[in-house]
Amino acid sequence: SCCCEHSPVYKLACTDTSFNRQLGTAKTLTALLGPLTFIIFTYAIVVVAVTRIASISQRWKAFHTCPTHLLLVLLYYIPVMLAYVLGNLRLIQNFDLYTAVLTVSVTIPPMLNPIIY
């Protein structure tokens, strides 16, 4: 693995690890869905503010900057969320494949950031 993960460590325990699995899932969902909820809420505020602009050309210019940011947000969140969901549902059996998916999902979006913008 390219990073220290909680799951492989608690699987080494000789006791029931269902609580650790539930706690890890809850913490992961909070870490992923918290910022995503904030981004969606912020975009709602931006949409309301931009619709109050009188000039159509200024409104178009303001909305024109949003798709690039949304693309980067989706490029990050969709693979990471899919990796965690598929991992928690145990649809990815090979741990090396799971690690590769997570590594790619957290490396590719920052590399594409300068290209997209």
Side-chain angles (χ1 to χ4, degrees):
S1 180
C2 65
C3 57
C4 182
E5 295 180 18
H6 181 68
S7 177
V9 174
Y10 77 75
K11 286 180 184 176
L12 297 173
C14 297
T15 61
D16 181 29
T17 59
S18 60
F19 176 73
N20 288 21
R21 184 175 168 81
Q22 292 171 353
L23 184 63
T25 302
K27 288 170 61 176
T28 300
L29 288 177
T30 302
L32 286 174
L33 295 179
L36 185 60
T37 304
F38 180 73
I39 290 169
I40 291 170
F41 178 71
T42 305
Y43 263 100
I45 293 172
V46 168
V47 167
V48 169
V50 169
T51 55
R52 292 183 182 167
I53 297 174
S55 171
I56 294 175
S57 65
Q58 289 177 344
R59 197 178 308 161
W60 170 254
K61 189 174 181 180
F63 276 130
H64 187 65
T65 62
C66 293
T68 54
H69 181 256
L70 281 175
L71 178 65
L72 287 172
V73 167
L74 293 176
L75 275 174
Y76 174 74
Y77 277 102
I78 289 175
V80 170
M81 291 178 87
L82 281 176
Y84 277 111
V85 167
L86 293 176
N88 281 334
L89 294 177
R90 297 176 193 233
L91 296 175
I92 298 178
Q93 296 295 327
N94 186 353
F95 189 71
D96 291 334
L97 176 65
Y98 180 70
T99 302
V101 168
L102 282 178
T103 304
V104 167
S105 66
V106 298
T107 352
I108 297 296
M111 289 174 24
L112 290 177
N113 194 352
I115 297 168
I116 291 174
Y117 279 117

